[in-house]
Amino acid sequence: MATEQTQVLGRALLTPAVALLFIWMIVPLAMTIYFSTLHYSLLDSETWSFVGLENFRYFLTDPAFLTALRNTLVLVGSVLAITILLGTPLALLLDQQVVGRSIVRLMVIAPFFVMPTVSALVWKNLLMHPVSGLFAWVATLVGATPIDWFNDVPLFAVILIVAWQWLPFATLILLTALQSQDEEQKEAAEMDGASPWRRFSRITLPLLMPNLIVVLVLGLIRAVQIFDEVFVLTGGGPGSATTFIVQFIYQTGFAEAIHQYGLAAAASLVLALSLLVLTVLQLRLTRKSLAGGRGRDDG
């Protein structure tokens, strides 16, 4: 047990680091809140005016923002569906005792360690290029017409790439959860004659629920913040087909002729608040799921 003197000393030593971290976080946030209330353009930084909440009202009714919001919702829903529907069976397969399991696990998890910009360049130039890409070569080999992925189906192409990047992390989380489960319950159910599906639905899946919630919420946060891959792959185009919320903020504040920094700051605040709500939701759902699991165990 720490004495009162050592506790005071520990707090004193931690105070400078905590204060520096607080300043590091609060200053950019305060500046963002300040600029979100201004009509401020980077092209004319000397002319500005206070507009209050007008920036929030403007971009929430802007058709470009509504398009970016729709694209973001489609991206998030698709990536999460692919992640859960493929990540769960992949984790179950990797949990089996097979020859070369370590190598297979490494190959499945490897995409997560590739930098987003690098993976985007690989997909764009080596796999999905309509002339020299691998997919175009396979299509030509079977007599089909190659697909120009980033012109014909740009949103679908981005969804595939983002899901490919996120799937290994989800699989790793679920695999770790599977390996930490109590095998005695499964063995007892098997001895009682329970089918594999019944063992999965009644034992494995309920125990996986906290981890599935983590995968869902973290995947949601990751997909909402996507920028690097889209910037390299399509730049948000063609048109606004792959413009998501973060791309909208970038284009509004830096890439368009208007350079409306106030509008971009307001959109950034809304995005930050949304991510904060999602984080709190994840903590509450995880806590509730764990409490429910403990209740079942006690029963």
Side-chain angles (χ1 to χ4, degrees), residues 1-17:
M1 296 295 293
T3 63
E4 184 177 351
Q5 290 79 6
T6 56
Q7 290 179 356
V8 172
L9 178 60
R11 294 192 186 99
L13 293 175
L14 286 175
T15 298

Side-chain angles (χ1 to χ4, degrees), residues 88-295:
T88 303
L90 269 177
L92 291 171
L93 289 174
L94 293 176
D95 192 42
Q96 305 301 314
Q97 295 290 341
V98 294
V99 179
R101 183 173 63 170
S102 300
I103 298 177
V104 174
R105 286 179 178 178
L106 181 61
M107 292 177 62
V108 171
I109 298 173
F112 180 70
F113 300 101
V114 181
M115 293 182 61
T117 50
V118 174
S119 65
L121 289 172
V122 170
W123 279 89
K124 183 177 182 179
N125 298 317
L126 298 181
L127 298 178
M128 288 183 168
H129 194 279
V131 177
S132 58
L134 177 63
F135 296 164
W137 176 78
V138 173
T140 305
L141 196 64
V142 299
T145 302
I147 301 175
D148 191 351
W149 293 88
F150 300 109
N151 282 322
D152 298 339
V153 285
L155 183 57
F156 179 68
V158 172
I159 289 172
L160 286 180
I161 295 171
V162 175
W164 176 81
Q165 290 179 325
W166 185 248
L167 182 60
F169 181 72
T171 304
L172 182 61
I173 291 179
L174 297 176
L175 177 60
T176 304
L178 286 173
Q179 292 177 336
S180 63
Q181 290 182 1
D182 186 6
E183 294 295 329
E184 293 182 359
Q185 293 182 353
K186 299 179 184 179
E187 293 174 357
E190 185 177 3
M191 293 177 62
D192 290 339
S195 64
W197 168 251
R198 195 172 183 83
R199 294 198 302 270
F200 172 76
S201 60
R202 295 299 181 90
I203 299 176
T204 304
L205 187 58
L207 293 175
L208 278 180
M209 285 307 299
N211 304 89
L212 286 172
I213 293 173
V214 171
V215 170
L216 284 172
V217 179
L218 291 182
L220 178 58
I221 295 174
R222 166 71 178 88
V224 167
Q225 298 182 87
I226 181 176
F227 179 80
D228 300 357
E229 302 92 322
V230 179
F231 186 82
V232 172
L233 293 170
T234 63
S240 58
T242 57
T243 298
F244 306 105
I245 291 180
V246 179
Q247 280 72 38
F248 171 82
I249 295 173
Y250 171 76
Q251 292 171 1
T252 302
F254 303 100
E256 293 184 353
I258 55 174
H259 286 271
Q260 289 294 340
Y261 194 77
L263 290 175
S268 300
L269 279 179
V270 172
L271 178 60
L273 289 175
S274 302
L275 295 177
L276 178 61
V277 170
L278 291 175
T279 303
V280 174
L281 178 63
Q282 176 207 347
L283 294 175
R284 289 190 175 183
L285 288 176
T286 304
R287 204 170 295 154
K288 182 178 179 180
S289 180
L290 290 174
R294 285 194 295 268

